[in-house]
Amino acid sequence: MKNKKERLQLIVNLIKKNCIGSQNELAELLESNGCKVTQATLSRDLKSMKITKVATNDGGYMYIIPDNNDLQDQLLMSGRNSLTVQQQVGFVSIALSGHMAVIRTRNGYAAGLAYDIDMSRSDEVLGTIAGADTVFAILREDVSHEEALKFFSRFVPLDRIVVK
């Protein structure tokens, strides 16, 4: 591989098209595509692109690219491991009260969800705070619960939303 930019693009393409669970697996795929890298270089590349691992329902892990739902959409459409939207992305429930939303997730999923909400740069949400399994979101004062529901339906199955 001639340069870093090409290598990074290859990493993105491989992660989008494959369920990769380890750096060794990714390094092997890179090498089979003509790009031999050391573990240290691969680790730096993943960190620089903010690529992370999430747990899968089959007990393994897979790399995901932040702010990119292509791989997730492909997995959902393919029915891989019979995952539902709620299972794949880790949602449990949302409760709305006044200008607040409390979003419950499976352990470890809250930070990713908060990141996705914040990166959406929405007019409905001022910001989020994430714990391990809970996201606290503050809604703008002029946002109705109906508008909030419409916004959160991009992230949460509607049957998991509770308005209080």
Side-chain angles (χ1 to χ4, degrees):
M1 185 114 331
K2 293 182 181 174
N3 62 40
K4 181 177 179 177
K5 184 178 178 182
E6 290 177 3
R7 182 178 72 243
L8 295 179
Q9 186 58 54
L10 180 57
I11 290 171
V12 168
N13 291 341
L14 289 171
I15 289 174
K16 282 183 178 181
K17 294 178 182 171
N18 300 282
C19 182
I20 301 170
S22 70
Q23 284 189 9
N24 285 340
E25 190 178 343
L26 180 55
E28 289 172 7
L29 284 170
L30 286 166
E31 188 169 357
S32 70
N33 282 276
C35 180
K36 186 165 176 63
V37 295
T38 65
Q39 185 276 330
T41 298
L42 184 54
S43 183
R44 280 190 300 273
D45 288 347
L46 294 172
K47 184 176 180 180
S48 73
M49 293 187 291
K50 296 181 176 43
I51 293 173
T52 59
K53 269 196 228 184
V54 296
T56 61
N57 283 353
D58 60 4
Y61 293 92
M62 67 181 275
Y63 284 106
I64 61 167
I65 301 168
D67 205 31
N68 183 320
N69 292 323
D70 292 346
L71 179 60
Q72 184 181 70
D73 292 346
Q74 286 175 7
L75 290 172
L76 291 172
M77 289 188 308
S78 71
R80 178 174 153 61
N81 298 327
S82 304
L83 300 178
T84 66
V85 173
Q86 187 264 338
Q87 291 170 323
Q88 177 63 30
V89 295
F91 293 110
V92 175
S93 67
I94 287 185
L96 299 174
S97 180
H99 298 294
M100 298 177 285
V102 177
I103 306 166
R104 304 276 184 198
T105 69
R106 291 181 11 215
N107 192 30
Y109 284 80
L113 173 59
Y115 177 83
D116 288 345
I117 291 169
D118 289 338
M119 290 304 294
S120 73
R121 311 260 194 272
S122 77
D123 292 329
E124 294 85 1
V125 176
L126 292 171
T128 63
I129 300 171
D133 63 359
T134 304
V135 176
F136 181 69
I138 300 294
L139 305 173
R140 293 190 190 276
E141 284 188 35
D142 61 340
V143 173
S144 69
H145 282 183
E146 291 75 28
E147 292 168 320
L149 290 174
K150 184 176 179 183
F151 169 73
F152 285 121
S153 70
R154 294 170 33 193
F155 305 97
V156 180
L158 285 175
D159 65 342
R160 298 286 184 183
I161 297 175
V162 177
V163 180
K164 292 187 177 181

